[in-house]
């Protein structure tokens, strides 16, 4: 299964590193390899979040995520996105922006870096909303119960996530945005508008996908109700014929997992996934300039890393890892919240990408360890103990 899931990633790695060696020599090969590791370390928590969403989709849309989605992730976010940023900030046409990226790499890097406050505000607020909606929702499993229980209680106020996100944006605009990094000056208005753009994007894409997902679940509930009524009728008829209802018409049990999302629900869920991936890639794209300002080496290295993240997402879905290790999703969301805050802080202060990556890895490792301990207490991984009626918290 490992080779089947990661086969394409291994193949792309060999081809990519080979191409880098041919085009740029040993130094280029090393740069591409470092960028790949950087992307994987920064986006490991992205794979866990993606898996939690991808498992809701049917097989067709899972394949779309792995084919069309990877094209968007590699070419769209790692290659085209920086060029578009330069074209907008420098008021250049797309062809002129590409020429600038190839012929004047230092100026190109400067233009992309100057757009960081807007990028960080958009991505930071988007990721922060994902974390807030998760932490304010009542859940069966609680990892850090002393934090999650009170937050779930106050989270019954529907607009609380939006209020907290707007407050964080306002604080960022009035503090770190007044004197941004690299001598960019006052970017208060830019940060406010970009942050609101990230908030609106989250509400629109997430709201539409949630609406269609809810409709699908309602349809399934109606089908279940109709099946149950039919079973009761058949059981009553069997009892009148002299048998017991249970013998004459056993109740049909449906699988615990919902039918995979399809149609409009899956489409908007796919868009939601792509926006999440874009938000995660912001810090990777900006951080890559610390290693190289060659857009093609950057796209190749980050693209190889993105392939492994997609493969890891599929691996988690197929193995049912999130069901077996129930606190993994908590750790990933805490990592998302941390990344959102870090993006907002980097509007003014530089934070090494190693720190950013380690925060996510440590949180996921801790949540995985808590899941293992819980499974040992419960006796079987991913299932509740028959002796307990309530799910205990991880801490």
């Amino acid at each position: 299964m490992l080779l089947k899931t990661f086969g394409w990633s291994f193949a792309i790695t060999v081809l990519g590193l080979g191409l880098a060696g041919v085009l740029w020599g040993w130094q280029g090969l090393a740069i591409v390899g470092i960028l790949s590791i950087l992307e994987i370390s920064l986006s490991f928590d992205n794979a866990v979040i993606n898996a939690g969403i991808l498992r809701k989709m049917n097989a067709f849309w899972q394949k779309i995520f792995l084919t069309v989605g990877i094209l968007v992730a590699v070419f769209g976010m790692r290659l085209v996105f920086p060029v578009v940023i330069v074209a907008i900030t420098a008021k250049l046409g797309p062809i002129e922006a590409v020429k600038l990226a190839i012929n004047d790499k230092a100026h190109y890097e400067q233009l992309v870096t100057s757009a960081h406050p807007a990028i960080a505000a958009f991505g930071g607020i988007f990721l922060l909303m994902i974390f807030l909606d998760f932490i304010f929702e009542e859940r069966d499993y609680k990892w850090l119960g002393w934090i999650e229980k009170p937050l779930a209680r106050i989270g019954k106020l529907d607009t609380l996530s939006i209020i907290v996100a707007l407050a964080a944006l306002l604080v960022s605009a009035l503090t770190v945005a007044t004197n941004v990094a690299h001598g960019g000056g006052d970017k208060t208005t830019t940060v406010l508008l970009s942050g609101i753009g990230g908030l609106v994007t989250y509400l629109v894409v997430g709201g539409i996908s949630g609406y269609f997902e809810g409709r699908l679940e309602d349809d399934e509930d109606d089908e279940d109700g109709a099946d149950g009524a039919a079973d009761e009728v058949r059981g009553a008829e069997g009892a009148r014929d002299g048998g017991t209802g249970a013998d004459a018409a056993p109740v049909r049990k449906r699988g615990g997992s919902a039918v995979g999302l399809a149609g409009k629900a899956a489409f908007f869920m796919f868009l939601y996934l792509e926006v999440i991936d874009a938000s995660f890639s912001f810090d990777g794209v900006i951080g890559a300039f610390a290693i190289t300002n060659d857009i093609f080496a950057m796209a190749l290295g980050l693209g190889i890393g993105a392939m492994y993240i997609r493969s890891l997402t599929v691996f988690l879905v197929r193995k049912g890892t999130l069901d077996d290790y129930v606190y993994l999703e908590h750790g990933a969301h805490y990592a998302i919240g941390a990344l959102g805050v870090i993006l907002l802080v980097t509007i003014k202060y530089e934070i090494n990408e190693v720190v950013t990556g380690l925060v996510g890895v440590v949180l996921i490792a801790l949540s995985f360890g808590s899941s293992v301990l819980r499974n040992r207490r419960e006796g079987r991984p991913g299932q509740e103990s028959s002796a307990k009626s309530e799910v205990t918290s991880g801490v």
Side-chain angles (χ1 to χ4, degrees):
M1 179 178 177
L2 189 65
L3 184 61
K4 181 180 179 181
T5 304
F6 288 90
W8 277 107
S9 297
F10 295 151
I12 294 297
T13 301
V14 173
L15 291 175
L17 293 178
L19 181 62
V22 171
L23 295 177
W24 305 301
W26 288 107
Q27 183 179 1
L29 188 150
I31 288 174
V32 170
I34 292 171
L35 287 172
S36 301
I37 296 172
L38 172 69
E39 177 68 13
I40 294 171
S41 64
L42 289 175
S43 301
F44 185 82
D45 43 357
N46 188 13
V48 179
I49 297 298
N50 287 348
I53 300 172
L54 193 65
R55 61 179 175 174
K56 301 178 183 179
M57 303 165 75
N58 65 12
F60 172 78
W61 280 99
Q62 290 182 2
K63 290 179 181 178
I64 291 294
F65 174 74
L66 292 174
T67 52
V68 177
I70 195 63
L71 291 176
V72 174
V74 175
F75 295 102
M77 288 308 304
R78 275 76 179 181
L79 184 62
V80 177
F81 172 72
V83 174
V84 170
I85 290 296
V86 168
I88 294 173
T89 55
K91 298 180 180 179
L92 299 174
I95 297 177
E96 288 79 6
V98 172
K99 289 181 178 179
L100 178 66
I102 296 173
N103 300 322
D104 193 351
K105 297 176 182 178
H107 189 208
Y108 169 78
E109 177 183 350
Q110 180 184 358
L111 290 172
V112 174
T113 303
S114 67
H116 177 68
I119 297 171
F122 181 97
I125 293 300
F126 187 91
L127 294 177
L128 194 59
M129 280 297 298
I130 295 175
F131 167 71
L132 291 173
D133 273 353
F134 179 88
I135 202 68
F136 286 141
E137 183 178 347
E138 182 65 43
R139 297 185 174 276
D140 293 332
Y141 299 103
K142 293 178 175 62
W143 180 33
L144 306 178
W146 55 280
I147 295 176
E148 295 171 13
K149 287 179 181 179
L151 290 180
R153 283 196 293 268
I154 66 174
K156 294 177 181 178
L157 177 62
D158 291 337
T159 58
L160 185 59
S161 296
I162 299 175
I163 294 172
V164 174
L166 287 174
L169 176 60
L170 184 60
V171 170
S172 301
L174 296 178
T175 54
V176 294
T178 56
N179 186 20
V180 302
H182 308 289
D186 190 343
K187 296 288 185 180
T188 301
T189 303
T190 300
V191 167
L192 280 174
L193 292 176
S194 300
I196 291 173
L199 177 62
V200 170
T201 301
Y202 174 84
L203 293 176
V204 171
V205 178
I208 293 175
S209 62
Y211 167 74
F212 284 110
E213 182 182 359
R215 285 188 57 181
L216 181 64
E217 290 176 353
D218 290 341
D219 291 342
E220 290 177 1
D221 290 340
D222 292 340
E223 291 178 5
D224 289 345
D227 291 340
D231 288 338
E232 289 180 5
V233 171
R234 286 193 294 269
E237 291 175 349
R240 285 198 302 269
D241 292 339
T244 65
D247 293 335
V251 177
R252 182 179 59 179
K253 293 184 180 180
R254 300 175 66 89
S257 59
V259 177
L261 294 179
K264 294 179 181 178
F267 172 72
F268 284 104
M269 193 68 76
F270 170 75
L271 291 183
Y272 182 57
L273 273 172
E274 291 304 309
V275 177
I276 292 176
D277 181 78
S279 299
F280 270 98
S281 69
F282 289 154
D283 57 336
V285 171
I286 299 298
F289 280 105
I291 300 170
T292 181
N293 55 13
D294 188 311
I295 60 169
F296 298 110
M298 190 184 300
L300 184 58
L302 297 179
I304 291 174
M307 281 291 298
Y308 278 96
I309 294 301
R310 296 293 167 119
S311 297
L312 180 59
T313 299
V314 175
F315 180 80
L316 294 175
V317 172
R318 290 176 176 172
K319 291 286 289 184
T321 305
L322 299 186
D323 293 326
D324 291 340
Y325 303 97
V326 294
Y327 301 134
L328 264 182
E329 206 167 358
H330 293 71
H333 278 88
Y334 279 105
I336 279 184
L339 179 57
V341 172
I342 288 173
L343 279 173
L344 294 176
V345 172
T346 57
I347 293 174
K348 181 176 182 178
Y349 303 101
E350 291 189 34
I351 297 178
N352 193 286
E353 287 71 29
V354 174
V355 176
T356 305
L358 282 177
V359 168
V361 171
V362 168
L363 285 170
I364 289 178
L366 290 174
S367 63
F368 177 79
S370 296
S371 299
V372 172
L373 293 176
R374 172 208 175 260
N375 290 343
R376 289 177 179 173
R377 288 198 305 266
E378 299 293 330
R380 289 181 296 174
Q383 297 182 19
E384 296 181 57
S385 172
S386 58
K388 295 184 179 181
S389 58
E390 294 183 358
V391 179
T392 58
S393 62
V395 176

